[in-house]
Amino acid sequence: MSDEFILEVKNLKKYFLAGRPALFSRTEQYVHAVDDVDLQLRRGEVIALVGESGCGKSTLALTLMGLENATEGSIFFEGRDITHLTDRERKSTRQRIQMVFQDPYESLNPTQTIEEIVTEPLVVHGLAGDHGERQAHVVRALEDAGLKPAEEYMHRFPHQLSGGQRQRVVIASALVLEPHLLLADEPVSMLDVSIRAEIINLLADLRESRGISVIFITHDLGTVGYFADRVAVMYLGRIVEIGSMREVLTDPKHPYAQALLSVIPVPNPRLRRKRMILQGETPNPIELPVGCRFHPRCPVAMNICKESDPRLLPISETHRAACLLLAK
Amino acid sequence: MKRYRYLLKKVSWSAFTILFVLILNFFLFRVLPGDPVKAGTHDPRFKKENQEAMRVRFGLDKPVINCFETLNPIKVGDCWINPFETQFFIYIRNLVQGELGISYHTNGPVADILVERLWNTLLLIGAGQILSIIVGILFGLFAAWKARTVIDYSALITGLVTWSLPTFWLGIILLFWGSGHGFPIGGRITPGTSSYPLSYQIADIAKHMVLPTLTYTIVYMGEYLLVMRSSLMDVLSEDYILTAKAKGLSTFQILKDHALKNAMLPIVTIIAINLGFTVAGAIQIEAVFSWPGLGGAVYEALERRDYPVLQGVFLLIAVSVVIANLIADLMYSYLDPRVQTE
């Protein structure tokens, strides 16, 4: 375990029992939500996890948070194996890994004031002894999250705030615990486009000022470019390409990553690019295709793709992709 | 400020509703076919003169309202009658003076009948209601907590079965069972014990209450159980519960601080509606166990066309339903901060 990495994920799998194919069938079927994921995150690093809906990126986040139990594999956080912990054992870890959920309209309890929401984590973890100290922490977290002056917001209820303000409250209630790792599960997808940049800038600032590592989950490659150091592209529960932001965005190797990238809108209307529109639907994650799991939709599939399941192959020191084209 | 305006709005709406009921109450029973004078006594020896005398005594000879002789069958009368001489005006004047009228049947004041019956009903149905709320909510909570386990499914099935049981059927079954185990089979007190010491009388009433209260609790528990279960399961699937878990709250803290307050909203509505109707009594239970409550009073008064009693009971029911709803609205504004600012 090197000290360099804050988070190390090894062969992580998360399967959900989906029932049986027939009423009296003996075999059980599983949804392969996360299927053999390896990931390493350095201190202060921001990694963007990109993929379409249902590719397992949210399940990965929930498993890292310990909100879902991993089926197989291991998760090391700051050198400690946190894969299977009881709630009691996990409590100290919870303080250091915090999560921002997708929908700020759902993730705030409507009956609590903003102050109560942001104070609660401090109380639960027994941080900041007296009332004054606690309040100081809350004010600082709110102002760091861009709600200034904090006093103006503290006594309001969530329904009295806009979507962007709510998401700032969610971020503040994560920040108040001074986490080392922040999991942001599509934190801007429910917000107006005009607000998105503000929230992303906020996360970028926090990373600068507090040195927090961030896993930024999104289905929109367009928002990644702003502040991610590295990008990981997920498809059907597996990382198919991972590399530095520049490498993946300018020179994607996996056909799926190329397709995702080709449909990002470009601000220049005269610039015409060839869009790569994928054919067919995402395969059912219960019965995965044999061979490469992308082959039924892949425009450059070869015969061998139906038989052999590619592993991540190195392209450069930091850039890897799981495509048989690279093996040749 | 907003809170007071909300309060004022709710209270004035309640007052308006009660006023509407007051007026409706008067006509509601007078359009029913049947003659109050004849309905009480099915005796052929009851002479014409005596019938007339009774009409005069209760003011039934007066026109119901201007331009209407009587509403049954609706027959337009003279519009030039002194409006202060109509039954409607007398009804309103009596009400303003706090007078509910005299029962045609017992010749006693309606208020006395109501008060006696109301206490009986509150005693029985109130106890049943409180028990079913407590038992139902606890079981519902437990079922939602242990969602999709054997405990949950058995609670679900129990709730569905007890809720759909016919009240009178369960009452009769329990009556059969109870009569073999030393429980009294009906009434509120054992006849002839009114001179016994108070402690004996209280124990006697309690004994009489066991079977009907049990029936009521079993039948109404199911509703609370099912609503509590589904409401709590809804809340537990919300993102803020997941957020709370991610923040490190224990299951108990999540239930106590986040889930319960939000899950109680639908329950408060049902409790309020049911509490209002509690006053109306459960006619089936009162009939099976010969319990002298308000439900029975309505039934008897309807048979005898005893307008003053009917008016009184319905006014009482309406007022209690309106007040229960008002309390529910106020509870809502306490439980859910979104309500006040609407």
Side-chain angles (χ1 to χ4, degrees), chain B residues 3 20 36 40 44 68 85 117 144 173 272 310 323 333:
Chain B
R3 200 186 182 106
F20 179 74
F68 282 99
E85 287 287 304
R117 296 288 189 122
I173 297 286
L310 285 174
I323 288 178
S333 73

Coordinates of all heavy atoms in Angstrom, one line a residue, chain B residues 3 20 36 40 44 68 85 117 144 173 272 310 323 333:
Chain B
R3 N -47.7 32.8 9.0 CA -48.3 31.7 9.8 C -49.7 32.1 10.3 O -50.6 31.3 10.2 CB -47.4 31.4 11.0 CG -47.7 30.1 11.6 CD -46.9 29.8 12.8 NE -47.3 28.4 13.2 CZ -46.5 27.4 13.1 NH1 -45.3 27.6 12.6 NH2 -46.8 26.2 13.4
F20 N -72.6 26.5 6.8 CA -73.3 25.9 5.7 C -74.0 24.6 6.2 O -75.2 24.4 5.8 CB -72.2 25.5 4.6 CG -72.8 24.8 3.4 CD1 -73.5 25.5 2.5 CD2 -72.6 23.5 3.3 CE1 -74.0 24.9 1.4 CE2 -73.1 22.8 2.2 CZ -73.8 23.5 1.2
P36 N -93.4 13.1 11.1 CA -92.8 12.9 12.5 C -93.8 12.6 13.5 O -93.5 11.9 14.5 CB -92.1 14.3 12.8 CG -92.6 15.2 11.7 CD -93.0 14.4 10.6
G40 N -93.5 8.2 15.2 CA -93.1 7.8 16.5 C -94.1 6.7 17.1 O -93.6 5.8 17.8
P44 N -103.1 2.8 16.1 CA -104.3 3.2 15.5 C -105.2 4.0 16.4 O -106.1 4.8 15.9 CB -105.0 2.0 15.0 CG -104.4 0.9 15.8 CD -103.0 1.3 16.2
F68 N -92.8 28.1 1.0 CA -92.9 26.7 1.1 C -93.7 26.3 2.3 O -93.4 26.6 3.4 CB -91.5 26.0 1.2 CG -90.7 26.0 -0.1 CD1 -89.8 26.9 -0.4 CD2 -91.1 25.1 -1.1 CE1 -89.1 26.9 -1.6 CE2 -90.4 25.0 -2.3 CZ -89.4 26.0 -2.5
E85 N -92.3 33.7 11.6 CA -93.2 32.6 12.1 C -92.9 31.3 11.5 O -93.6 30.3 11.6 CB -94.6 33.0 11.8 CG -95.2 34.1 12.7 CD -95.5 33.6 14.1 OE1 -96.2 32.6 14.2 OE2 -94.9 34.1 15.1
R117 N -75.0 10.3 25.1 CA -74.6 9.4 24.1 C -73.2 9.7 23.6 O -72.4 8.7 23.3 CB -75.5 9.5 22.8 CG -77.0 9.1 23.1 CD -77.1 7.6 23.3 NE -78.4 7.2 23.3 CZ -79.0 6.3 22.5 NH1 -78.2 5.8 21.5 NH2 -80.2 5.9 22.6
A144 N -42.1 -1.7 7.8 CA -41.3 -0.9 6.8 C -39.8 -1.0 7.1 O -39.0 -1.1 6.2 CB -41.7 0.6 6.8
I173 N -68.5 -12.8 15.9 CA -67.6 -13.9 16.3 C -67.0 -13.7 17.6 O -66.9 -14.6 18.5 CB -66.4 -14.0 15.2 CG1 -67.0 -14.3 13.8 CG2 -65.3 -14.9 15.7 CD1 -67.4 -15.8 13.7
A272 N -57.0 12.4 11.4 CA -57.9 13.5 11.5 C -59.3 13.2 11.0 O -60.3 13.4 11.6 CB -57.4 14.7 10.8
L310 N -81.9 14.5 15.2 CA -81.1 14.3 14.0 C -80.2 15.6 13.7 O -79.0 15.5 13.4 CB -82.0 14.0 12.8 CG -82.5 12.6 12.7 CD1 -83.5 12.5 11.5 CD2 -81.4 11.6 12.5
I323 N -63.5 20.4 13.0 CA -62.4 20.7 14.0 C -61.2 19.8 13.8 O -60.1 20.2 13.8 CB -63.0 20.7 15.4 CG1 -63.9 21.9 15.6 CG2 -61.8 20.7 16.4 CD1 -64.5 22.0 17.0
S333 N -48.8 22.2 9.2 CA -47.9 23.4 9.1 C -46.8 23.2 10.1 O -45.7 23.8 10.0 CB -48.7 24.6 9.4 OG -49.0 24.8 10.7

